[in-house]
């Protein structure tokens, strides 16, 4: 199913790199990598890897695809005890993303 995970972050896109820090419902993270492929790395990791690929970039928007591997489902199982009985301990997936600049664009 489709999910939306709002977050706040200070992100810097240059012609050849992405860097920044932020926070969402899963905790604090940082972005690191190249201008077209970068990773989201949580301070307290629950996924082996979260990769982003930029497909479109303007002065105020960035969008593309992302994928994640071996993400723990412990939080889901805790919040959904009955459904959690049938959930695997880790999950993989992919989707699309869009980031919009809210200030200092």
């Amino acid at each position: 199913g489709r999910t939306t995970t709002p977050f706040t972050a200070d992100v810097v896109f240059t012609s050849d790199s992405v860097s920044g820090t932020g926070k969402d419902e899963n905790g604090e993270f940082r972005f690191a990598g190249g201008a077209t492929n970068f990773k989201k790395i949580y301070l307290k990791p629950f996924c082996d890897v979260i990769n982003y690929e930029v497909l479109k970039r303007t002065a105020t928007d960035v969008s593309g695809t992302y994928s994640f591997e071996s993400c723990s489902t412990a939080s889901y199982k805790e919040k959904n005890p009955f459904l959690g009985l049938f959930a695997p301990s880790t999950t993989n997936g992919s989707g699309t993303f869009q980031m919009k600049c809210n200030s200092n664009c």
Side-chain angles (χ1 to χ4, degrees):
R2 181 183 171 108
T3 62
T4 300
T5 306
F7 67 91
T8 56
D10 291 319
V11 184
V12 176
F13 285 90
T14 66
S15 60
D16 61 352
S17 69
V18 174
S19 62
T21 59
K23 185 176 184 176
D24 64 21
E25 66 186 27
N26 297 308
E28 295 180 18
F29 60 84
R30 66 183 172 92
F31 289 120
T36 58
N37 291 287
F38 60 93
K39 295 183 184 308
K40 186 178 194 181
I41 304 160
Y42 282 91
L43 249 42
K44 295 181 180 177
F46 64 96
C47 293
D48 283 356
V49 66
I50 305 173
N51 288 315
Y52 286 80
E53 181 179 4
V54 176
L55 300 177
K56 183 179 177 187
R57 185 170 121 182
T58 68
T60 58
D61 295 296
V62 177
S63 61
T65 61
Y66 71 94
S67 63
F68 54 90
E69 297 176 16
S70 297
C71 293
S72 171
T73 59
S75 177
Y76 174 81
K77 289 179 166 199
E78 183 179 313
K79 293 175 187 171
N80 303 280
F82 179 73
L83 294 174
L85 291 173
F86 306 101
S89 60
T90 62
T91 188
N92 303 323
S94 61
T96 60
F97 76 92
Q98 182 177 21
M99 295 182 202
K100 292 186 177 197
C101 181
N102 291 327
S103 63
N104 298 323
C105 304

